[in-house]
Amino acid sequence: MGIFLKQVDYTYQPGTPFEGRALFDITADIKSGSYTAFIGHTGSGKSTLMQLLNGLNLPTKGTVVVDEVTLTAESKAKDSRLLRQRVGLVFQFPESQLFEETVLKDVAFGPKNFGVSDEEALSRAREALSLVGISEELFERNPFELSGGQMRRVAIAGILAMQPTVLVLDEPTAGLDPKGRKELMALFSDLHTKGMTVVLVTHVMDDVANFADQVYVLEKGRVILSGSPSDLFQEVQLLEEKQLGVPQVTKFAQDLRNRGVAFERLPVTIDEFVEVWLHE
Ligand code: ADP
Ligand code: MG
């Protein structure tokens, strides 16, 4: 399942003194099976855009097309409800939304709420928890007794238990230690390999280069650049001026290039670097 945004504007609280325009003329194509990254500074509109992908926000202007469902400013709750299950949105700090008294109940809540039987909801919850690496002895624990990283996993399992075909991740590794970050990124990569369409908001350019196949750069509510990570990260100077940066290995290669080492193209992953190095 792919998502296509056409000339989308989004304004918070239109027609009030608090009116705030967050997105301007966004056109983006998130292909089925892709791993698409969105980058940009705080306030550039990333979270607003992520909430358009599952119908939580409706465009103020323009259209969001998800399969046979087209969302516009006039769409009804029924249409966005349909998307809520298919497009799983993991918010920033999703653990803040845990609320049930046991881990298992919390993860089963979503599917239950969508009309799945209790038994089926619990079985999906078990499956999702095992996918994110939460072991069975934690199933009956209170989610608030878990570590930060475990709580994050439980929250993600809650979305996976809905069996979405698109997984939207809004800064999913923010605040985790390097090990927790690495493990979560490996989990998303694994889900992508199994066919899930993944949309990732991140500040980590190495993750963009290592995992994404396309990337959009947002600035003040507009898409200012897009393309494959390998093309985009050739623009070292521009991305540094914008204080977004490039992958570490790209920066390293750029430094070498400035000292006279010839690189036809800058590598964006370690694998690419090794490849270039061995063939020089
Ligand atoms: P990002 O996720 O890139 O940091 P956001 O989508 O959160 O950006 O914010 C984009 C713009 O919309 C910002 O100017 C922000 O202040 C504004 N904004 C975000 N959420 C709301 C809201 N609930 N009400 C009003 N304005 C908001
Ligand atoms: Mg945000």
Side-chain angles (χ1 to χ4, degrees), residues 87-263:
V87 182
L89 171 61
V90 177
F91 283 97
Q92 258 170 293
F93 303 106
E95 57 277 17
S96 66
Q97 308 204 335
L98 297 172
F99 69 101
E100 288 276 10
E101 73 237 29
T102 74
V103 164
L104 192 62
K105 276 190 191 165
D106 209 297
V107 176
F109 176 81
K112 229 188 246 183
N113 200 30
F114 268 84
V116 168
S117 73
D118 283 11
E119 199 183 342
E120 170 70 13
L122 287 172
S123 129
R124 284 194 194 184
R126 286 200 179 86
E127 202 181 318
L129 282 163
S130 112
L131 207 56
V132 301
I134 293 288
S135 57
E136 255 183 71
E137 67 259 26
L138 298 177
F139 286 9
E140 296 305 323
R141 290 271 286 278
N142 184 315
F144 300 100
E145 290 169 3
L146 306 181
S147 74
Q150 288 171 328
M151 281 166 70
R152 179 86 44 105
R153 281 159 187 279
V154 170
I156 292 170
I159 299 296
L160 292 175
M162 308 278 280
Q163 302 184 334
T165 48
V166 180
L167 186 60
V168 179
L169 303 155
D170 194 350
E171 302 193 32
T173 60
L176 297 183
D177 60 27
K179 181 164 171 279
R181 252 187 50 200
K182 209 169 159 199
E183 287 171 358
L184 268 191
M185 290 310 297
L187 165 69
F188 305 141
S189 175
D190 193 35
L191 291 168
H192 175 241
T193 308
K194 288 178 183 149
M196 184 91 83
T197 304
V198 177
V199 180
L200 173 74
V201 171
T202 185
H203 289 286
V204 184
M205 297 305 135
D206 284 283
D207 287 346
V208 174
N210 285 325
F211 298 106
D213 40 45
Q214 58 173 347
V215 52
Y216 288 88
V217 184
L218 291 183
E219 186 177 82
K220 296 184 181 140
R222 296 176 194 274
V223 172
I224 56 158
L225 288 168
S226 67
S228 69
S230 152
D231 286 342
L232 185 91
F233 289 129
Q234 301 304 310
E235 307 292 333
V236 180
Q237 201 189 340
L238 178 67
L239 291 166
E240 296 215 313
E241 271 165 23
K242 296 200 172 294
Q243 296 181 331
L244 290 166
V246 297
Q248 284 180 26
V249 70
T250 309
K251 178 79 183 123
F252 178 57
Q254 168 84 342
D255 288 349
L256 290 176
R257 184 189 254 175
N258 291 341
R259 287 162 190 243
V261 180
F263 280 100

Side-chain angles (χ1 to χ4, degrees), residues 41-48 50-51 92 170-171 201 203:
H41 289 290
T42 302
S44 60
K46 303 179 302 296
S47 294
T48 306
M50 295 309 112
Q51 292 168 56
Q92 258 170 293
D170 194 350
E171 302 193 32
V201 171
H203 289 286

